[in-house]
Amino acid sequence: MFLVHLWNYIRGYVIIIAKGGVERFINICARRQILLWDIVRKDNDSAVMKASLRGFMLMRPAARKSGCRIGIVKKCGLPFFLRRFRKRRGFKAGLLFFAVLIVFFTSMIWEIEIRGCGGDTAQRIMKVLEDRDIRKGSFKTRLDPRRIASDILMNVDDVAWAGVQIHGVKMTISVQSITPRPEVVDESQCCNLVAERDGLITKVEVLAGTLKVMEGDTVTKGQLLVSGILESQNPEFGAKNVHALGRITARTWYDTKVPLSYEYTKRIRTGRTRENTYIRILNMKIGLFGNRRDFELYDSVSYDRTVKGPFNTEIPVGLTVEKLYEVTEKKVRLSAEEAEALALEKARLDLSKELSPDCRVLDERINILRSETGDAWLQLIVECEEDIAGREPLGGD
Amino acid sequence: MKLAGKEPDKGAKPRRWILGIGEKLAELFELPPDLFGNRPKVTAVGRGEVLIENFKGIMDFREDMVRINTSTGVIRITGNGITIREITSEAVIIGGKISNIDYDA
């Protein structure tokens, strides 16, 4: 029944009042396929009923024939409802504006998803996209998925395959990383092994070539360790060039100097904070009124508040809250131990960048150096054991 | 439209005769009787709604009573707040609080 009502509402209907000879009128209408419903007797010679718009148009002859006078009580339904908006220009303009807005916003990219790779590669892919001016908010019509995919393939090294799909307002980039190729030792190329850094040799293992140093030797950087020229025992046969292979383990030393300072500026939060709020639309930030940075020195922490849309989609509209903490700098006098600990930490950090990844740290020594002027340094010496052999192509052929 | 309205009167007799045969046949083969003929079919659902199929026309319509002409006579439905819920050329639905359905009234 509800569906019937809905259908009637959509088609539109009129409530009419018929006066005089109602029964005859109803019968004629029924015979002429004019649908009437909800007929209620009002008084002795009149009745109220509902009729469809089409039925109402066909009703005139039936009314004349039955000698019945018909008046409209009310016009109901969607057609009459919409008729009201005919004159309202603003409403129509709004409707048009709404339609345009929908088309406009659905022709944009709102979300970019990168699948199948780590954050590092993803960042490089994002950079490629940015270089081509593809970001949240770019128009879809300008984008050619195949081109983007090939651009990614060309510009990001460790991607074997890239696929770009645009579904609605979401761009999905799927990539397949390359499995790293194993390093192939080209044995046909002759080479020597030379020391990559100074050291004291502790162990030698030679697979091919002529050993030129001994265990316990001190070598300097660039010194020949294993020669690729294989001398025959019988001088008549001459020499043969080979690809020298081997592992020369040596003790190496690294050192670094860090100035010791007994003063340390400490940043202390005063406890006064301030929150600034920005409205974020795509990548734009719009500051709200009352945002100020009125602290002279501050640490700031900002975090994004995103709005989760239906179906767990991320809406690129949200708030960015920036929290400022006022800080004061305070000079703190450190004791000798504290200063040394601080310097040592810094020295270790510096050295860790220098050490090669396959070396083993054997020993650490700390020296405190003082000059006449009163400046002090902390020297950190690290003793390691590592393979110092490095390939150097053999000259000639 | 006018022609269509007058047609039943013209060929009333031979048609009724043929329909009479149809009814007899339906009886013979034990078919549902409402499949043939133009006899009225009255369906009452609860006491708020009466559906009458194969009617000829409304004879009288008042707040407490409605009389409907059919091929087998006049059916009178009395009650309170009688309305015609819907009317087409084949069926009429009577609503309201119904107390009587009388034949030959």
Side-chain angles (χ1 to χ4, degrees), chain A residues 1 22-23 26-27 30-41 47, chain B residues 1 5 56-63 83-90:
Chain A
M1 212 54 200
V22 177
E23 288 90 352
I26 292 169
N27 286 334
R31 223 168 291 141
R32 292 190 181 183
Q33 310 284 340
I34 297 168
L35 184 71
L36 299 174
W37 68 96
D38 287 354
I39 305 169
V40 182
R41 194 90 207 188
Chain B
M1 271 298 183
K56 275 186 171 170
I58 306 242
M59 292 179 73
D60 222 345
F61 175 46
R62 293 213 311 259
E63 223 238 304
T83 61
I84 299 172
R85 287 258 179 92
E86 213 175 300
I87 180 161
T88 63
S89 53
E90 291 95 39

PDB file of all heavy atoms in Angstrom, chain A residues 1 22-23 26-27 30-41 47, chain B residues 1 5 56-63 83-90:
ATOM      1  N   MET A   1       0.824  -1.202   0.000  1.00  0.00           N
ATOM      2  CA  MET A   1       0.000   0.000   0.000  1.00  0.00           C
ATOM      3  C   MET A   1       0.863   1.258   0.000  1.00  0.00           C
ATOM      4  O   MET A   1       0.555   2.265  -0.625  1.00  0.00           O
ATOM      5  CB  MET A   1      -0.891  -0.037   1.257  1.00  0.00           C
ATOM      6  CG  MET A   1      -2.229   0.606   1.067  1.00  0.00           C
ATOM      7  SD  MET A   1      -3.118  -0.051  -0.335  1.00  0.00           S
ATOM      8  CE  MET A   1      -4.287   1.254  -0.622  1.00  0.00           C
ATOM      9  N   VAL A  22     -23.552  11.964  -7.384  1.00  0.00           N
ATOM     10  CA  VAL A  22     -22.216  11.427  -7.166  1.00  0.00           C
ATOM     11  C   VAL A  22     -22.095   9.996  -7.671  1.00  0.00           C
ATOM     12  O   VAL A  22     -21.117   9.635  -8.322  1.00  0.00           O
ATOM     13  CB  VAL A  22     -21.854  11.510  -5.664  1.00  0.00           C
ATOM     14  CG1 VAL A  22     -20.514  10.894  -5.415  1.00  0.00           C
ATOM     15  CG2 VAL A  22     -21.876  12.940  -5.186  1.00  0.00           C
ATOM     16  N   GLU A  23     -23.119   9.171  -7.385  1.00  0.00           N
ATOM     17  CA  GLU A  23     -23.041   7.765  -7.775  1.00  0.00           C
ATOM     18  C   GLU A  23     -22.872   7.613  -9.275  1.00  0.00           C
ATOM     19  O   GLU A  23     -22.028   6.830  -9.743  1.00  0.00           O
ATOM     20  CB  GLU A  23     -24.317   7.017  -7.330  1.00  0.00           C
ATOM     21  CG  GLU A  23     -24.425   6.798  -5.850  1.00  0.00           C
ATOM     22  CD  GLU A  23     -25.149   7.937  -5.143  1.00  0.00           C
ATOM     23  OE1 GLU A  23     -25.428   8.980  -5.799  1.00  0.00           O
ATOM     24  OE2 GLU A  23     -25.435   7.806  -3.946  1.00  0.00           O
ATOM     25  N   ILE A  26     -19.424   8.556 -10.313  1.00  0.00           N
ATOM     26  CA  ILE A  26     -18.440   7.515  -9.976  1.00  0.00           C
ATOM     27  C   ILE A  26     -18.509   6.371 -10.973  1.00  0.00           C
ATOM     28  O   ILE A  26     -17.492   5.865 -11.455  1.00  0.00           O
ATOM     29  CB  ILE A  26     -18.667   6.996  -8.533  1.00  0.00           C
ATOM     30  CG1 ILE A  26     -18.332   8.095  -7.521  1.00  0.00           C
ATOM     31  CG2 ILE A  26     -17.804   5.766  -8.253  1.00  0.00           C
ATOM     32  CD1 ILE A  26     -18.758   7.782  -6.106  1.00  0.00           C
ATOM     33  N   ASN A  27     -19.738   5.968 -11.312  1.00  0.00           N
ATOM     34  CA  ASN A  27     -19.895   4.863 -12.250  1.00  0.00           C
ATOM     35  C   ASN A  27     -19.309   5.192 -13.609  1.00  0.00           C
ATOM     36  O   ASN A  27     -18.622   4.363 -14.209  1.00  0.00           O
ATOM     37  CB  ASN A  27     -21.384   4.514 -12.400  1.00  0.00           C
ATOM     38  CG  ASN A  27     -21.895   3.802 -11.178  1.00  0.00           C
ATOM     39  OD1 ASN A  27     -21.115   3.155 -10.473  1.00  0.00           O
ATOM     40  ND2 ASN A  27     -23.174   3.929 -10.909  1.00  0.00           N
ATOM     41  N   ALA A  30     -15.623   5.058 -13.415  1.00  0.00           N
ATOM     42  CA  ALA A  30     -15.117   3.688 -13.342  1.00  0.00           C
ATOM     43  C   ALA A  30     -15.111   3.054 -14.724  1.00  0.00           C
ATOM     44  O   ALA A  30     -14.159   2.380 -15.113  1.00  0.00           O
ATOM     45  CB  ALA A  30     -15.967   2.873 -12.374  1.00  0.00           C
ATOM     46  N   ARG A  31     -16.165   3.303 -15.469  1.00  0.00           N
ATOM     47  CA  ARG A  31     -16.269   2.702 -16.792  1.00  0.00           C
ATOM     48  C   ARG A  31     -15.234   3.299 -17.748  1.00  0.00           C
ATOM     49  O   ARG A  31     -14.775   2.642 -18.669  1.00  0.00           O
ATOM     50  CB  ARG A  31     -17.685   2.896 -17.340  1.00  0.00           C
ATOM     51  CG  ARG A  31     -18.186   1.625 -18.003  1.00  0.00           C
ATOM     52  CD  ARG A  31     -19.666   1.710 -18.278  1.00  0.00           C
ATOM     53  NE  ARG A  31     -20.458   1.687 -17.058  1.00  0.00           N
ATOM     54  CZ  ARG A  31     -21.549   2.428 -16.878  1.00  0.00           C
ATOM     55  NH1 ARG A  31     -21.960   3.258 -17.819  1.00  0.00           N
ATOM     56  NH2 ARG A  31     -22.227   2.344 -15.765  1.00  0.00           N
ATOM     57  N   ARG A  32     -14.897   4.537 -17.537  1.00  0.00           N
ATOM     58  CA  ARG A  32     -13.964   5.196 -18.457  1.00  0.00           C
ATOM     59  C   ARG A  32     -12.507   5.087 -17.987  1.00  0.00           C
ATOM     60  O   ARG A  32     -11.646   5.853 -18.420  1.00  0.00           O
ATOM     61  CB  ARG A  32     -14.326   6.667 -18.597  1.00  0.00           C
ATOM     62  CG  ARG A  32     -15.645   6.833 -19.314  1.00  0.00           C
ATOM     63  CD  ARG A  32     -15.899   8.254 -19.681  1.00  0.00           C
ATOM     64  NE  ARG A  32     -17.171   8.368 -20.347  1.00  0.00           N
ATOM     65  CZ  ARG A  32     -17.647   9.497 -20.838  1.00  0.00           C
ATOM     66  NH1 ARG A  32     -16.938  10.597 -20.724  1.00  0.00           N
ATOM     67  NH2 ARG A  32     -18.801   9.528 -21.431  1.00  0.00           N
ATOM     68  N   GLN A  33     -12.261   4.176 -17.099  1.00  0.00           N
ATOM     69  CA  GLN A  33     -10.894   3.918 -16.621  1.00  0.00           C
ATOM     70  C   GLN A  33     -10.272   5.134 -15.940  1.00  0.00           C
ATOM     71  O   GLN A  33      -9.078   5.365 -16.024  1.00  0.00           O
ATOM     72  CB  GLN A  33      -9.967   3.473 -17.763  1.00  0.00           C
ATOM     73  CG  GLN A  33     -10.499   2.363 -18.631  1.00  0.00           C
ATOM     74  CD  GLN A  33     -10.418   1.015 -17.954  1.00  0.00           C
ATOM     75  OE1 GLN A  33      -9.648   0.840 -17.016  1.00  0.00           O
ATOM     76  NE2 GLN A  33     -11.215   0.075 -18.402  1.00  0.00           N
ATOM     77  N   ILE A  34     -11.114   5.924 -15.304  1.00  0.00           N
ATOM     78  CA  ILE A  34     -10.577   7.032 -14.510  1.00  0.00           C
ATOM     79  C   ILE A  34     -10.500   6.543 -13.073  1.00  0.00           C
ATOM     80  O   ILE A  34     -11.513   6.203 -12.472  1.00  0.00           O
ATOM     81  CB  ILE A  34     -11.478   8.274 -14.612  1.00  0.00           C
ATOM     82  CG1 ILE A  34     -11.512   8.763 -16.059  1.00  0.00           C
ATOM     83  CG2 ILE A  34     -10.963   9.365 -13.679  1.00  0.00           C
ATOM     84  CD1 ILE A  34     -12.576   9.799 -16.312  1.00  0.00           C
ATOM     85  N   LEU A  35      -9.290   6.447 -12.580  1.00  0.00           N
ATOM     86  CA  LEU A  35      -9.092   5.875 -11.246  1.00  0.00           C
ATOM     87  C   LEU A  35      -9.495   6.900 -10.186  1.00  0.00           C
ATOM     88  O   LEU A  35      -9.053   8.045 -10.205  1.00  0.00           O
ATOM     89  CB  LEU A  35      -7.623   5.480 -11.072  1.00  0.00           C
ATOM     90  CG  LEU A  35      -7.290   4.793  -9.766  1.00  0.00           C
ATOM     91  CD1 LEU A  35      -7.865   3.389  -9.755  1.00  0.00           C
ATOM     92  CD2 LEU A  35      -5.794   4.749  -9.552  1.00  0.00           C
ATOM     93  N   LEU A  36     -10.386   6.437  -9.288  1.00  0.00           N
ATOM     94  CA  LEU A  36     -10.762   7.267  -8.141  1.00  0.00           C
ATOM     95  C   LEU A  36     -10.456   6.473  -6.886  1.00  0.00           C
ATOM     96  O   LEU A  36     -10.571   5.253  -6.877  1.00  0.00           O
ATOM     97  CB  LEU A  36     -12.253   7.591  -8.172  1.00  0.00           C
ATOM     98  CG  LEU A  36     -12.795   8.375  -9.369  1.00  0.00           C
ATOM     99  CD1 LEU A  36     -14.307   8.452  -9.280  1.00  0.00           C
ATOM    100  CD2 LEU A  36     -12.201   9.762  -9.417  1.00  0.00           C
ATOM    101  N   TRP A  37     -10.043   7.152  -5.863  1.00  0.00           N
ATOM    102  CA  TRP A  37      -9.848   6.422  -4.616  1.00  0.00           C
ATOM    103  C   TRP A  37     -10.158   7.327  -3.422  1.00  0.00           C
ATOM    104  O   TRP A  37     -10.277   8.544  -3.578  1.00  0.00           O
ATOM    105  CB  TRP A  37      -8.442   5.824  -4.539  1.00  0.00           C
ATOM    106  CG  TRP A  37      -7.305   6.774  -4.405  1.00  0.00           C
ATOM    107  CD1 TRP A  37      -6.705   7.152  -3.247  1.00  0.00           C
ATOM    108  CD2 TRP A  37      -6.602   7.448  -5.445  1.00  0.00           C
ATOM    109  NE1 TRP A  37      -5.688   8.013  -3.499  1.00  0.00           N
ATOM    110  CE2 TRP A  37      -5.597   8.211  -4.839  1.00  0.00           C
ATOM    111  CE3 TRP A  37      -6.726   7.472  -6.827  1.00  0.00           C
ATOM    112  CZ2 TRP A  37      -4.709   8.997  -5.569  1.00  0.00           C
ATOM    113  CZ3 TRP A  37      -5.854   8.254  -7.553  1.00  0.00           C
ATOM    114  CH2 TRP A  37      -4.856   9.014  -6.934  1.00  0.00           C
ATOM    115  N   ASP A  38     -10.296   6.680  -2.280  1.00  0.00           N
ATOM    116  CA  ASP A  38     -10.628   7.370  -1.024  1.00  0.00           C
ATOM    117  C   ASP A  38     -11.869   8.276  -1.185  1.00  0.00           C
ATOM    118  O   ASP A  38     -11.805   9.465  -0.899  1.00  0.00           O
ATOM    119  CB  ASP A  38      -9.426   8.177  -0.520  1.00  0.00           C
ATOM    120  CG  ASP A  38      -8.349   7.265   0.039  1.00  0.00           C
ATOM    121  OD1 ASP A  38      -8.599   6.057   0.125  1.00  0.00           O
ATOM    122  OD2 ASP A  38      -7.263   7.755   0.376  1.00  0.00           O
ATOM    123  N   ILE A  39     -12.929   7.667  -1.657  1.00  0.00           N
ATOM    124  CA  ILE A  39     -14.164   8.445  -1.829  1.00  0.00           C
ATOM    125  C   ILE A  39     -14.910   8.468  -0.492  1.00  0.00           C
ATOM    126  O   ILE A  39     -15.201   7.399   0.074  1.00  0.00           O
ATOM    127  CB  ILE A  39     -15.057   7.823  -2.916  1.00  0.00           C
ATOM    128  CG1 ILE A  39     -14.251   7.677  -4.214  1.00  0.00           C
ATOM    129  CG2 ILE A  39     -16.293   8.684  -3.159  1.00  0.00           C
ATOM    130  CD1 ILE A  39     -14.932   6.835  -5.261  1.00  0.00           C
ATOM    131  N   VAL A  40     -15.151   9.640   0.019  1.00  0.00           N
ATOM    132  CA  VAL A  40     -15.851   9.783   1.301  1.00  0.00           C
ATOM    133  C   VAL A  40     -17.075  10.665   1.075  1.00  0.00           C
ATOM    134  O   VAL A  40     -16.989  11.725   0.449  1.00  0.00           O
ATOM    135  CB  VAL A  40     -14.926  10.433   2.364  1.00  0.00           C
ATOM    136  CG1 VAL A  40     -15.649  10.537   3.699  1.00  0.00           C
ATOM    137  CG2 VAL A  40     -13.637   9.643   2.509  1.00  0.00           C
ATOM    138  N   ARG A  41     -18.196  10.183   1.583  1.00  0.00           N
ATOM    139  CA  ARG A  41     -19.431  10.972   1.484  1.00  0.00           C
ATOM    140  C   ARG A  41     -19.333  12.149   2.447  1.00  0.00           C
ATOM    141  O   ARG A  41     -18.983  11.956   3.613  1.00  0.00           O
ATOM    142  CB  ARG A  41     -20.610  10.074   1.891  1.00  0.00           C
ATOM    143  CG  ARG A  41     -21.935  10.633   1.534  1.00  0.00           C
ATOM    144  CD  ARG A  41     -22.324  10.176   0.166  1.00  0.00           C
ATOM    145  NE  ARG A  41     -23.220  11.151  -0.436  1.00  0.00           N
ATOM    146  CZ  ARG A  41     -23.849  10.957  -1.576  1.00  0.00           C
ATOM    147  NH1 ARG A  41     -23.658   9.835  -2.250  1.00  0.00           N
ATOM    148  NH2 ARG A  41     -24.653  11.861  -2.061  1.00  0.00           N
ATOM    149  N   ALA A  47     -19.475  14.485  -2.317  1.00  0.00           N
ATOM    150  CA  ALA A  47     -18.471  13.528  -1.851  1.00  0.00           C
ATOM    151  C   ALA A  47     -17.083  14.067  -2.193  1.00  0.00           C
ATOM    152  O   ALA A  47     -16.913  14.796  -3.177  1.00  0.00           O
ATOM    153  CB  ALA A  47     -18.668  12.170  -2.505  1.00  0.00           C
TER     154      ALA A  47
ATOM    155  N   MET B   1     -15.221   5.724 -26.531  1.00  0.00           N
ATOM    156  CA  MET B   1     -15.622   5.605 -25.141  1.00  0.00           C
ATOM    157  C   MET B   1     -17.112   5.312 -25.018  1.00  0.00           C
ATOM    158  O   MET B   1     -17.524   4.444 -24.265  1.00  0.00           O
ATOM    159  CB  MET B   1     -15.296   6.907 -24.389  1.00  0.00           C
ATOM    160  CG  MET B   1     -13.893   6.916 -23.803  1.00  0.00           C
ATOM    161  SD  MET B   1     -13.696   5.608 -22.602  1.00  0.00           S
ATOM    162  CE  MET B   1     -12.055   5.923 -22.041  1.00  0.00           C
ATOM    163  N   GLY B   5     -19.130   1.833 -23.728  1.00  0.00           N
ATOM    164  CA  GLY B   5     -20.093   1.879 -22.632  1.00  0.00           C
ATOM    165  C   GLY B   5     -21.402   1.199 -22.993  1.00  0.00           C
ATOM    166  O   GLY B   5     -22.079   0.629 -22.147  1.00  0.00           O
ATOM    167  N   LYS B  56     -21.319  -4.048 -11.448  1.00  0.00           N
ATOM    168  CA  LYS B  56     -21.841  -3.275 -12.579  1.00  0.00           C
ATOM    169  C   LYS B  56     -21.801  -1.781 -12.312  1.00  0.00           C
ATOM    170  O   LYS B  56     -21.486  -0.994 -13.198  1.00  0.00           O
ATOM    171  CB  LYS B  56     -23.283  -3.692 -12.871  1.00  0.00           C
ATOM    172  CG  LYS B  56     -23.356  -4.913 -13.761  1.00  0.00           C
ATOM    173  CD  LYS B  56     -24.790  -5.161 -14.107  1.00  0.00           C
ATOM    174  CE  LYS B  56     -24.949  -6.230 -15.152  1.00  0.00           C
ATOM    175  NZ  LYS B  56     -26.382  -6.583 -15.254  1.00  0.00           N
ATOM    176  N   GLY B  57     -22.107  -1.431 -11.105  1.00  0.00           N
ATOM    177  CA  GLY B  57     -22.066  -0.007 -10.806  1.00  0.00           C
ATOM    178  C   GLY B  57     -22.518   0.274  -9.390  1.00  0.00           C
ATOM    179  O   GLY B  57     -23.034  -0.608  -8.694  1.00  0.00           O
ATOM    180  N   ILE B  58     -22.273   1.486  -8.960  1.00  0.00           N
ATOM    181  CA  ILE B  58     -22.696   1.898  -7.623  1.00  0.00           C
ATOM    182  C   ILE B  58     -24.096   2.487  -7.765  1.00  0.00           C
ATOM    183  O   ILE B  58     -24.348   3.348  -8.609  1.00  0.00           O
ATOM    184  CB  ILE B  58     -21.751   2.973  -7.071  1.00  0.00           C
ATOM    185  CG1 ILE B  58     -20.326   2.434  -7.155  1.00  0.00           C
ATOM    186  CG2 ILE B  58     -22.173   3.406  -5.675  1.00  0.00           C
ATOM    187  CD1 ILE B  58     -19.568   2.261  -5.961  1.00  0.00           C
ATOM    188  N   MET B  59     -25.009   1.994  -6.941  1.00  0.00           N
ATOM    189  CA  MET B  59     -26.374   2.499  -7.038  1.00  0.00           C
ATOM    190  C   MET B  59     -26.625   3.583  -6.020  1.00  0.00           C
ATOM    191  O   MET B  59     -27.300   4.562  -6.279  1.00  0.00           O
ATOM    192  CB  MET B  59     -27.371   1.358  -6.824  1.00  0.00           C
ATOM    193  CG  MET B  59     -27.334   0.373  -7.968  1.00  0.00           C
ATOM    194  SD  MET B  59     -28.459  -0.950  -7.680  1.00  0.00           S
ATOM    195  CE  MET B  59     -30.017  -0.159  -7.959  1.00  0.00           C
ATOM    196  N   ASP B  60     -26.076   3.398  -4.866  1.00  0.00           N
ATOM    197  CA  ASP B  60     -26.324   4.326  -3.773  1.00  0.00           C
ATOM    198  C   ASP B  60     -25.060   4.387  -2.939  1.00  0.00           C
ATOM    199  O   ASP B  60     -24.427   3.370  -2.688  1.00  0.00           O
ATOM    200  CB  ASP B  60     -27.482   3.770  -2.918  1.00  0.00           C
ATOM    201  CG  ASP B  60     -28.427   4.879  -2.531  1.00  0.00           C
ATOM    202  OD1 ASP B  60     -28.013   6.049  -2.676  1.00  0.00           O
ATOM    203  OD2 ASP B  60     -29.542   4.566  -2.107  1.00  0.00           O
ATOM    204  N   PHE B  61     -24.717   5.571  -2.529  1.00  0.00           N
ATOM    205  CA  PHE B  61     -23.508   5.675  -1.710  1.00  0.00           C
ATOM    206  C   PHE B  61     -23.773   6.689  -0.618  1.00  0.00           C
ATOM    207  O   PHE B  61     -23.959   7.876  -0.879  1.00  0.00           O
ATOM    208  CB  PHE B  61     -22.334   6.086  -2.601  1.00  0.00           C
ATOM    209  CG  PHE B  61     -21.066   6.349  -1.845  1.00  0.00           C
ATOM    210  CD1 PHE B  61     -20.640   5.459  -0.857  1.00  0.00           C
ATOM    211  CD2 PHE B  61     -20.298   7.469  -2.095  1.00  0.00           C
ATOM    212  CE1 PHE B  61     -19.485   5.696  -0.149  1.00  0.00           C
ATOM    213  CE2 PHE B  61     -19.133   7.711  -1.389  1.00  0.00           C
ATOM    214  CZ  PHE B  61     -18.722   6.833  -0.424  1.00  0.00           C
ATOM    215  N   ARG B  62     -23.819   6.223   0.628  1.00  0.00           N
ATOM    216  CA  ARG B  62     -24.032   7.113   1.773  1.00  0.00           C
ATOM    217  C   ARG B  62     -22.982   6.789   2.816  1.00  0.00           C
ATOM    218  O   ARG B  62     -22.200   5.839   2.691  1.00  0.00           O
ATOM    219  CB  ARG B  62     -25.431   6.880   2.347  1.00  0.00           C
ATOM    220  CG  ARG B  62     -26.576   7.299   1.418  1.00  0.00           C
ATOM    221  CD  ARG B  62     -27.755   7.819   2.243  1.00  0.00           C
ATOM    222  NE  ARG B  62     -28.102   6.903   3.330  1.00  0.00           N
ATOM    223  CZ  ARG B  62     -29.134   6.040   3.282  1.00  0.00           C
ATOM    224  NH1 ARG B  62     -29.872   5.956   2.195  1.00  0.00           N
ATOM    225  NH2 ARG B  62     -29.394   5.299   4.316  1.00  0.00           N
ATOM    226  N   GLU B  63     -22.981   7.572   3.858  1.00  0.00           N
ATOM    227  CA  GLU B  63     -21.972   7.399   4.892  1.00  0.00           C
ATOM    228  C   GLU B  63     -22.137   6.067   5.630  1.00  0.00           C
ATOM    229  O   GLU B  63     -21.170   5.494   6.104  1.00  0.00           O
ATOM    230  CB  GLU B  63     -22.101   8.543   5.900  1.00  0.00           C
ATOM    231  CG  GLU B  63     -20.758   9.109   6.302  1.00  0.00           C
ATOM    232  CD  GLU B  63     -20.555   9.023   7.784  1.00  0.00           C
ATOM    233  OE1 GLU B  63     -21.399   9.539   8.514  1.00  0.00           O
ATOM    234  OE2 GLU B  63     -19.540   8.430   8.204  1.00  0.00           O
ATOM    235  N   THR B  83     -16.550   4.160   3.079  1.00  0.00           N
ATOM    236  CA  THR B  83     -15.878   4.902   2.007  1.00  0.00           C
ATOM    237  C   THR B  83     -15.606   3.949   0.856  1.00  0.00           C
ATOM    238  O   THR B  83     -15.605   2.732   1.041  1.00  0.00           O
ATOM    239  CB  THR B  83     -14.518   5.476   2.468  1.00  0.00           C
ATOM    240  OG1 THR B  83     -13.680   4.380   2.842  1.00  0.00           O
ATOM    241  CG2 THR B  83     -14.661   6.417   3.642  1.00  0.00           C
ATOM    242  N   ILE B  84     -15.417   4.530  -0.327  1.00  0.00           N
ATOM    243  CA  ILE B  84     -14.941   3.706  -1.448  1.00  0.00           C
ATOM    244  C   ILE B  84     -13.443   3.907  -1.515  1.00  0.00           C
ATOM    245  O   ILE B  84     -12.970   4.986  -1.866  1.00  0.00           O
ATOM    246  CB  ILE B  84     -15.635   4.123  -2.762  1.00  0.00           C
ATOM    247  CG1 ILE B  84     -17.156   3.910  -2.639  1.00  0.00           C
ATOM    248  CG2 ILE B  84     -15.082   3.317  -3.929  1.00  0.00           C
ATOM    249  CD1 ILE B  84     -17.929   4.461  -3.800  1.00  0.00           C
ATOM    250  N   ARG B  85     -12.730   2.892  -1.132  1.00  0.00           N
ATOM    251  CA  ARG B  85     -11.282   3.012  -1.078  1.00  0.00           C
ATOM    252  C   ARG B  85     -10.689   3.205  -2.468  1.00  0.00           C
ATOM    253  O   ARG B  85      -9.775   3.966  -2.678  1.00  0.00           O
ATOM    254  CB  ARG B  85     -10.662   1.747  -0.460  1.00  0.00           C
ATOM    255  CG  ARG B  85     -10.874   1.633   1.018  1.00  0.00           C
ATOM    256  CD  ARG B  85      -9.624   2.013   1.782  1.00  0.00           C
ATOM    257  NE  ARG B  85      -9.892   1.913   3.206  1.00  0.00           N
ATOM    258  CZ  ARG B  85      -9.670   0.811   3.920  1.00  0.00           C
ATOM    259  NH1 ARG B  85      -9.172  -0.253   3.324  1.00  0.00           N
ATOM    260  NH2 ARG B  85      -9.939   0.783   5.180  1.00  0.00           N
ATOM    261  N   GLU B  86     -11.233   2.407  -3.401  1.00  0.00           N
ATOM    262  CA  GLU B  86     -10.716   2.468  -4.746  1.00  0.00           C
ATOM    263  C   GLU B  86     -11.763   1.944  -5.679  1.00  0.00           C
ATOM    264  O   GLU B  86     -12.515   1.037  -5.317  1.00  0.00           O
ATOM    265  CB  GLU B  86      -9.463   1.581  -4.843  1.00  0.00           C
ATOM    266  CG  GLU B  86      -8.422   2.093  -5.818  1.00  0.00           C
ATOM    267  CD  GLU B  86      -7.169   1.248  -5.775  1.00  0.00           C
ATOM    268  OE1 GLU B  86      -6.543   1.162  -4.709  1.00  0.00           O
ATOM    269  OE2 GLU B  86      -6.850   0.654  -6.810  1.00  0.00           O
ATOM    270  N   ILE B  87     -11.857   2.511  -6.851  1.00  0.00           N
ATOM    271  CA  ILE B  87     -12.845   1.993  -7.799  1.00  0.00           C
ATOM    272  C   ILE B  87     -12.245   1.987  -9.199  1.00  0.00           C
ATOM    273  O   ILE B  87     -11.670   2.980  -9.647  1.00  0.00           O
ATOM    274  CB  ILE B  87     -14.180   2.779  -7.723  1.00  0.00           C
ATOM    275  CG1 ILE B  87     -15.189   2.216  -8.726  1.00  0.00           C
ATOM    276  CG2 ILE B  87     -13.973   4.262  -7.950  1.00  0.00           C
ATOM    277  CD1 ILE B  87     -16.605   2.600  -8.409  1.00  0.00           C
ATOM    278  N   THR B  88     -12.309   0.825  -9.830  1.00  0.00           N
ATOM    279  CA  THR B  88     -11.917   0.694 -11.238  1.00  0.00           C
ATOM    280  C   THR B  88     -13.080   0.020 -11.940  1.00  0.00           C
ATOM    281  O   THR B  88     -14.101  -0.281 -11.307  1.00  0.00           O
ATOM    282  CB  THR B  88     -10.643  -0.162 -11.385  1.00  0.00           C
ATOM    283  OG1 THR B  88     -10.946  -1.476 -10.921  1.00  0.00           O
ATOM    284  CG2 THR B  88      -9.490   0.400 -10.600  1.00  0.00           C
ATOM    285  N   SER B  89     -12.901  -0.244 -13.233  1.00  0.00           N
ATOM    286  CA  SER B  89     -14.023  -0.855 -13.951  1.00  0.00           C
ATOM    287  C   SER B  89     -14.216  -2.316 -13.542  1.00  0.00           C
ATOM    288  O   SER B  89     -15.285  -2.868 -13.731  1.00  0.00           O
ATOM    289  CB  SER B  89     -13.796  -0.744 -15.451  1.00  0.00           C
ATOM    290  OG  SER B  89     -12.535  -1.260 -15.772  1.00  0.00           O
ATOM    291  N   GLU B  90     -13.220  -2.947 -12.945  1.00  0.00           N
ATOM    292  CA  GLU B  90     -13.354  -4.366 -12.600  1.00  0.00           C
ATOM    293  C   GLU B  90     -13.713  -4.580 -11.130  1.00  0.00           C
ATOM    294  O   GLU B  90     -14.419  -5.524 -10.805  1.00  0.00           O
ATOM    295  CB  GLU B  90     -12.035  -5.115 -12.857  1.00  0.00           C
ATOM    296  CG  GLU B  90     -11.652  -5.277 -14.296  1.00  0.00           C
ATOM    297  CD  GLU B  90     -10.716  -4.193 -14.748  1.00  0.00           C
ATOM    298  OE1 GLU B  90      -9.838  -3.819 -13.951  1.00  0.00           O
ATOM    299  OE2 GLU B  90     -10.879  -3.694 -15.868  1.00  0.00           O
TER     300      GLU B  90
END
